């Protein structure tokens, strides 16, 4: 007996070549065919009288053939003139003709045709319609239900796809589904079977506008189930993690109090709240996995420092991992500033260290003399062993794959507590979906004294006007960033290169120290430039977006971003956050290349009007979608079968309720639901 888990090649007449094509669009089994839903429908449930036919509408007509002729055009066309009993007329125009058509179209024959009504020189026309010659006993086009139109791949026709989906629907009809999700909805939504049958073959009179907007109850039922399954998979991971053995920290504030006394600023209430939430987590027998998010400049680093002080107080090691060497070295400097006077030994590891330097640092880590270890991906390489790792802090965690996070965690003898930080605020809808396995702490206020950054948009052809502004700021002893989106000239992108910009600025700013930094420089070259800029030996830094995250130079008060229309909202907000870190008023100039698209205009206007990173993140999600925000490392949420985080955010609360109810189901029921919605190639994502 056929099963929904049978591969598509089991369908009669479907060969390996076609199966491979279907595999490429995610269709491997009969069940996958069921979830390959139509993207629109045609209404062939009734025959439209020609007198009622409207231009631009699709219609099914049944008329008599008056005459046939070939148009004397360069491209041969077959013209078929039709009329009804009231002598109203329409022309069928075929651009690709064959001998069979010419012979089959006979005056007086009855024909059914379906297509879009157009207006031509002589009146109504239909171009290359679907048709059946009724008087020649061909199967009529008239259907009992609306006709589905499916997304296709190369070599597959609508007729074949419909045939295969209908085969899968036959198997579904005879399959008993013991569905726990249906039980907990208490018949408030249609069943899985009913929803799928309806969406593949909507009945006449179904509200197509609701289906087009994904607001039909059958779609909502599937969307809620998919969102609930995604959340359930993460909640199961969270629950499983809680059963792991971890080191319980005894909260000791002696080092924390010493640090507090040495600070030249006061912690905000939000920072204090986040520190308390972390302390509660690490003092329990369940390993912490907490997401610490806050806007640019909200002070996440100091919160992380207070967390690692508890590890030090309990004689455990902490690993701090950053996505780039520049950011890792920035952390080395800022963490060391807080820790050195407390007598805490900090080690550093990066992929570009020489053998001698690396060996000495690895020894410090293995012996346990290094209480805090800061570095890049080099931290989770095989030959790096920790003495007693118990806390892992990961910065800009969305830049890492889940396996990288796991690799570092596996360096500990017991499951370490994990604190993952991001300066890119995550919209609530994504937090509920992509990060349902993490507890969340939010720093939702900026330190006192932080000034708002004035943001202006300026056309690229007005760059000369910025020269005077740069001279003024440099004369006042402050520094400037000028960010370019490309290193080399590219006609295709029309983006000014860093080299051209550097040459232009150098020749127009005599007496001002202009230096360029980009990703193709060696590690030591980049380090030297960043150190010189931090120490004030460079006035104007021409940079690619390597300075996007984490760079902290309080004396920099002007940020200029070329071709800002090419960057996403969150990235622009990150760049803007590199200035305004000192007491002086700061500005950000977003330069753009005309003409601007509507989307680009919208992005620049949002940046000009708002400094709220969370609002900006929500808008970024709306404009670019979850795939862009989460990055390629976390595609599980971006590539859902039916649900869409942006469009369906209003259903997340319901999905969250049902996902918590699903935790009460049997393991078999939970796994059946998860395997229905999460493909095998994405399981690794959810198991990390």
């Amino acid at each position: 007996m056929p099963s929904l888990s049978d591969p598509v090649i089991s369908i009669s007449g479907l060969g390996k070549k076609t199966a491979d094509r279907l595999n490429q669009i995610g269709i491997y089994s009969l069940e996958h065919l069921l979830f390959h839903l139509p993207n629109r429908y045609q209404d062939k449930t009734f025959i439209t009288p020609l007198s009622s036919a409207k231009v631009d509408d699709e219609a099914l007509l049944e008329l008599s053939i008056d005459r046939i002729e070939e148009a004397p055009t360069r491209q041969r066309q077959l013209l078929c003139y039709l009329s009804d009993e009231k002598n109203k007329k329409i022309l069928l125009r075929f651009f690709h003709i064959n001998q069979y058509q010419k012979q089959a179209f006979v005056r007086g024959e009855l024909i059914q045709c379906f297509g879009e009504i157009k207006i031509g020189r002589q009146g109504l026309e239909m171009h290359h319609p679907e048709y059946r010659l009724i008087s020649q006993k061909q199967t009529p086009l008239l259907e009992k239900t609306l006709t589905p139109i499916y997304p296709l791949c190369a070599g597959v026709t609508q007729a074949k796809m419909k045939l295969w989906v209908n085969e899968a629907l036959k198997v579904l009809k005879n399959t008993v589904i013991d569905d726990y999700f249906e039980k907990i909805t208490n018949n408030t939504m249609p069943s899985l079977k009913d929803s799928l049958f309806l969406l593949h073959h909507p009945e006449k009179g179904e509200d197509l506008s609701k289906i087009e907007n994904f607001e039909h109850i059958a779609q909502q039922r599937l969307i809620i189930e998919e969102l609930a399954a995604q959340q359930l998979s993460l909640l199961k991971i969270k629950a499983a993690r809680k059963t792991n053995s971890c080191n319980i920290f005894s909260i000791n504030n002696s080092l924390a109090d010493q640090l507090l006394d040495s600070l030249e600023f006061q912690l905000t209430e939000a920072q204090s709240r986040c520190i308390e939430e972390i302390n509660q987590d690490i003092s329990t027998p369940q390993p912490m996995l907490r997401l610490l998010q806050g806007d640019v400049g909200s002070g996440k680093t100091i919160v992380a420092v207070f967390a690692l002080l508890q590890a030090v107080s309990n004689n455990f090691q902490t690993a701090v991992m950053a996505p780039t060497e520049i950011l890792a070295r920035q952390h080395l400097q800022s963490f060391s500033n807080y820790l050195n006077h407390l007598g805490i030994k900090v080690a550093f590891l990066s992929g570009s260290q020489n053998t001698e330097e690396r060996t000495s640092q690895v020894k410090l880590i293995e012996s346990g003399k290094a209480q805090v270890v800061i570095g890049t991906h080099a931290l989770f390489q095989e030959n790096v062993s920790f003495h007693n790792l118990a806390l892992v802090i990961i910065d800009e965690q969305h830049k890492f794959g889940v396996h990288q996070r796991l690799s570092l965690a596996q360096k500990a003898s017991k499951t370490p507590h994990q604190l993952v930080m991001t300066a890119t605020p995550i919209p609530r809808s994504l937090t509920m979906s992509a990060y349902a396995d993490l507890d969340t702490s939010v720093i939702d206020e900026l330190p006192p004294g932080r000034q708002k950054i004035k943001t202006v948009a300026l056309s690229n052809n007005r760059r000369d006007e910025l020269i005077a502004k740069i001279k003024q700021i440099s004369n006042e002893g402050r520094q400037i960033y000028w960010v370019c989106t490309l290193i080399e000239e590219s006609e295709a992108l029309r983006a000014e290169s860093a080299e051209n910009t550097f040459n232009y600025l150098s020749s127009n700013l005599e007496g001002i120290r202009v230096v360029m930094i980009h990703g193709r420089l060696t590690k030591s070259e980049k380090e030297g430039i960043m150190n010189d800029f931090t120490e004030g030996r460079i006035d104007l830094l021409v940079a690619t977006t390597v300075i996007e995250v984490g760079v902290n130079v309080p004396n920099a008060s002007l940020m200029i971003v070329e071709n800002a229309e090419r960057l996403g909202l969150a990235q622009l907000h990150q760049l803007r956050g590199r200035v305004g870190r000192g007491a002086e008023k700061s500005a950000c100039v977003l330069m753009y290349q005309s003409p601007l698209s509507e989307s680009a205009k919208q992005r620049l206007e949002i940046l000009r009007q708002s400094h709220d990173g969370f609002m900006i993140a929500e808008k970024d999600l709306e404009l670019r979608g979850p795939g862009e925000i989460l990055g390629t490392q976390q595609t599980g949420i971006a590539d859902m079968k039916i649900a869409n985080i942006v469009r369906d955010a209003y259903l997340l609360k319901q999905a969250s309720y049902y996902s918590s109810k699903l935790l009460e189901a049997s393991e078999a029921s939970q796994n059946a639901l998860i395997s229905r919605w999460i493909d095998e190639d994405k399981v690794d994502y959810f198991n990390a």
Side-chain angles (χ1 to χ4, degrees):
M1 184 176 172
S3 162
L4 291 176
S5 60
D6 290 349
V8 287
I9 201 167
S10 65
I11 297 174
S12 177
L14 196 157
K16 186 178 184 309
K17 194 173 181 181
T18 304
D20 289 343
R21 284 173 172 161
L22 291 174
N23 292 169
Q24 287 172 7
I25 58 171
I27 300 175
Y28 295 89
S29 66
L30 299 190
E31 185 171 4
H32 289 138
L33 279 169
L34 293 176
F35 290 102
H36 188 71
L37 294 175
N39 51 18
R40 67 184 185 91
Y41 303 88
Q42 294 173 336
D43 191 349
K44 302 176 186 173
T45 61
F46 66 96
I47 293 170
T48 302
L50 196 49
S51 57
S52 304
K54 295 178 181 175
V55 176
D56 296 332
D57 280 358
E58 287 185 325
L60 176 61
L61 308 174
E62 186 173 282
L63 302 164
S64 296
I65 299 176
D66 279 349
R67 72 179 196 277
I68 311 295
E69 64 180 50
E70 277 191 58
T73 54
R74 190 174 62 181
Q75 273 190 322
R76 287 169 60 218
Q77 294 180 15
L78 183 66
L79 307 180
C80 182
Y81 293 88
L82 311 180
S83 65
D84 64 9
E85 65 279 1
K86 296 177 183 176
N87 209 31
K88 290 196 173 293
K89 299 183 182 297
I90 188 169
L91 166 64
L92 305 187
R93 192 184 292 271
F94 294 90
F95 297 97
H96 309 287
I97 59 176
N98 57 50
Q99 200 62 32
Y100 167 77
Q101 280 178 303
K102 289 169 68 176
Q103 292 173 352
F105 291 150
V106 178
R107 184 176 177 180
E109 293 276 21
L110 192 63
I111 185 171
Q112 278 186 5
C113 53
F114 180 85
E116 184 182 338
I117 307 285
K118 299 178 182 290
I119 193 77
R121 290 180 184 176
Q122 302 173 45
L124 299 181
E125 293 188 5
M126 235 185 226
H127 296 173
H128 249 295
E130 188 179 357
Y131 68 90
R132 297 288 188 276
L133 291 161
I134 302 303
S135 50
Q136 294 182 18
K137 308 295 185 191
Q138 293 182 357
T139 306
L141 290 173
L142 192 66
E143 302 270 7
K144 290 181 180 177
T145 62
L146 299 178
T147 305
I149 302 297
Y150 293 97
L152 300 175
C153 57
V156 173
T157 63
Q158 282 296 336
K160 285 180 180 177
M161 185 64 82
K162 287 171 194 169
L163 181 69
W164 301 332
V165 170
N166 286 338
E167 287 293 318
L169 287 169
K170 283 180 194 171
V171 177
L172 175 65
K173 190 174 183 179
N174 297 316
T175 301
V176 176
I177 297 177
D178 182 20
D179 198 328
Y180 194 83
F181 185 82
E182 288 182 11
K183 291 175 187 173
I184 61 174
T185 58
N186 297 319
N187 299 318
T188 56
M189 288 186 276
S191 69
L192 177 70
K193 277 189 178 184
D194 289 347
S195 297
L196 288 170
F197 275 110
L198 185 148
L199 291 172
H200 283 292
H201 293 291
E203 295 289 338
K204 182 180 178 180
E206 232 15 286
D207 190 338
L208 279 183
S209 64
K210 280 195 170 182
I211 294 179
E212 285 168 7
N213 294 319
F214 287 84
E215 293 171 353
H216 194 284
I217 184 65
Q219 291 167 309
Q220 290 177 328
R221 186 258 185 257
L222 296 176
I223 289 165
I224 290 168
E225 182 179 318
E226 181 169 24
L227 291 171
Q230 303 274 342
Q231 290 187 23
L232 172 66
S233 66
L234 292 170
L235 291 174
K236 278 169 64 72
I237 292 160
K238 186 176 183 177
R241 190 187 294 113
K242 296 290 186 187
T243 65
N244 292 346
S245 172
C246 72
N247 292 297
I248 304 170
F249 289 16
S250 173
I251 301 304
N252 180 337
N253 286 325
S254 59
L255 285 173
D257 289 342
Q258 288 180 57
L259 177 59
L260 266 177
D261 290 341
S262 69
L263 294 179
E264 297 175 355
F265 56 87
Q266 279 197 319
L267 297 178
T268 63
E269 286 184 19
Q271 286 172 317
S272 298
R273 183 187 68 243
C274 292
I275 291 167
E276 181 56 33
E277 288 169 350
I278 292 165
N279 285 348
Q280 286 177 7
D281 281 358
I282 58 181
S283 59
T284 68
Q286 299 171 338
M288 172 180 77
L289 182 53
R290 184 166 285 276
L291 173 67
L292 176 64
Q293 56 174 323
D295 212 339
V296 176
S298 59
K300 292 177 294 299
T301 301
I302 191 67
V303 172
V305 170
F306 276 98
L308 68 83
L309 289 181
Q310 294 300 336
V312 172
S313 297
N314 284 268
N315 297 314
F316 293 121
Q317 285 176 305
T318 298
V320 181
M321 185 162 72
T324 65
E325 182 138 347
I326 285 179
L327 185 53
R329 289 196 175 272
Q330 181 94 35
H331 280 327
L332 176 63
Q333 182 181 340
S334 54
F335 276 75
S336 297
N337 288 343
Y338 292 127
L339 300 177
N340 284 349
H341 75 278
L342 298 175
I344 295 170
K345 180 68 177 174
V346 180
F348 183 77
L349 268 187
S350 76
S352 61
Q353 286 173 318
N354 61 44
T355 305
E356 184 182 347
E357 195 178 2
R358 180 183 173 79
T359 301
S360 69
Q361 295 298 295
V362 167
K363 283 180 180 176
L364 287 173
I365 297 165
E366 287 177 349
S367 67
K369 289 179 181 176
Q371 296 150 292
V372 177
V373 185
I374 297 171
T376 58
H377 302 71
L379 290 179
F380 54 72
Q381 290 176 353
E382 279 186 28
N383 60 349
V384 178
S385 298
F386 287 81
H387 181 68
N388 52 0
L389 178 64
L391 174 64
V392 171
I393 298 170
I394 298 178
D395 198 12
E396 289 304 312
Q397 62 86 32
H398 63 284
K399 303 255 174 127
F400 293 101
V402 283
H403 292 301
Q404 294 168 322
R405 198 173 82 193
L406 265 181
S407 297
L408 184 52
Q410 287 164 355
K411 297 283 187 182
S413 55
K414 293 182 178 180
T415 301
H417 298 290
Q418 292 185 63
L419 180 66
V420 292
M421 305 193 295
T422 178
T424 306
I426 301 168
R428 186 171 176 272
S429 55
L430 276 187
T431 304
M432 289 176 71
S433 303
Y435 303 113
D437 61 325
L438 279 71
D439 297 307
T440 304
S441 291
V442 179
I443 305 178
D444 51 10
E445 62 179 311
L446 291 175
R450 286 291 297 244
Q451 306 218 24
K452 281 193 175 179
I453 302 157
K454 183 181 179 183
T455 306
V456 297
L458 198 70
S459 171
N460 275 354
N461 57 25
R462 295 174 61 190
R463 56 163 46 196
D464 290 347
E465 297 174 28
L466 291 170
I467 296 296
K469 182 70 175 173
I470 290 170
K471 287 178 178 176
Q472 177 199 330
I473 286 176
S474 182
N475 289 338
E476 292 170 359
R478 289 176 284 138
Q479 294 162 279
I480 304 103
Y481 292 105
W482 188 302
V483 176
C484 306
T485 52
L486 288 184
I487 298 169
E488 293 170 350
E489 192 65 42
S490 169
E491 285 297 322
L493 294 178
R494 295 182 302 138
E496 293 294 328
S497 69
E499 279 125 345
N500 281 355
T501 300
F502 170 72
N503 293 333
Y504 164 79
L505 293 172
S506 298
S507 61
N508 284 278
L509 293 168
E510 196 175 332
I512 291 177
R513 296 164 293 183
V514 183
V515 175
M516 178 174 66
I517 184 171
H518 55 71
R520 295 186 186 177
L521 295 176
T522 65
K523 162 221 145 191
S524 58
E525 286 171 333
K526 283 188 281 192
E527 277 177 26
I529 291 169
M530 287 311 300
N531 188 55
D532 284 346
F533 190 64
T534 304
E535 296 295 324
R537 292 187 286 272
I538 295 171
D539 302 311
L540 171 56
L541 184 65
V542 178
T544 59
T545 49
V546 292
I547 55 95
E548 173 191 340
V549 175
V551 179
N552 184 23
V553 181
N555 191 46
S557 64
L558 176 61
M559 165 68 68
I560 299 163
V561 184
E562 273 191 6
N563 302 295
E565 76 279 6
R566 302 194 179 283
L567 303 179
L569 270 174
Q571 194 176 18
L572 287 170
H573 183 59
Q574 284 283 325
L575 286 167
R576 177 170 63 180
R578 297 308 103 208
V579 295
R581 293 174 165 253
E584 300 291 337
K585 285 189 176 181
S586 297
C588 177
V589 178
L590 304 173
M591 296 178 68
Y592 60 85
Q593 180 72 45
S594 295
L596 279 178
S597 67
E598 283 306 311
S599 173
K601 284 179 187 173
Q602 199 176 346
R603 287 203 306 276
L604 297 187
E605 186 59 24
I606 289 166
L607 262 294
R608 284 195 336 104
Q609 298 295 335
S610 178
H611 288 79
D612 181 345
F614 286 92
M615 187 280 275
I616 288 169
E618 289 284 358
K619 292 291 184 185
D620 205 25
L621 179 63
E622 287 174 25
L623 292 169
R624 294 199 296 156
E628 292 292 324
I629 309 299
L630 289 170
T632 55
Q633 298 283 7
Q634 299 181 336
T635 56
I637 295 300
D639 296 336
M640 288 192 276
K641 287 182 169 73
I642 295 168
N644 178 292
I645 293 297
V646 179
R647 184 195 66 217
D648 305 322
Y650 73 104
L651 296 173
L652 277 166
K653 198 168 182 180
Q654 274 179 276
S656 184
Y657 167 76
Y658 287 121
S659 64
S660 62
K661 297 291 285 181
L662 285 164
L663 282 173
E664 302 166 10
S666 68
E667 191 77 14
S669 293
Q670 291 178 358
N671 291 340
L673 186 70
I674 289 170
S675 64
R676 176 184 301 158
W677 291 104
I678 302 171
D679 296 337
E680 285 183 27
D681 62 337
K682 297 189 187 106
V683 165
D684 287 343
Y685 164 73
F686 288 99
N687 282 341

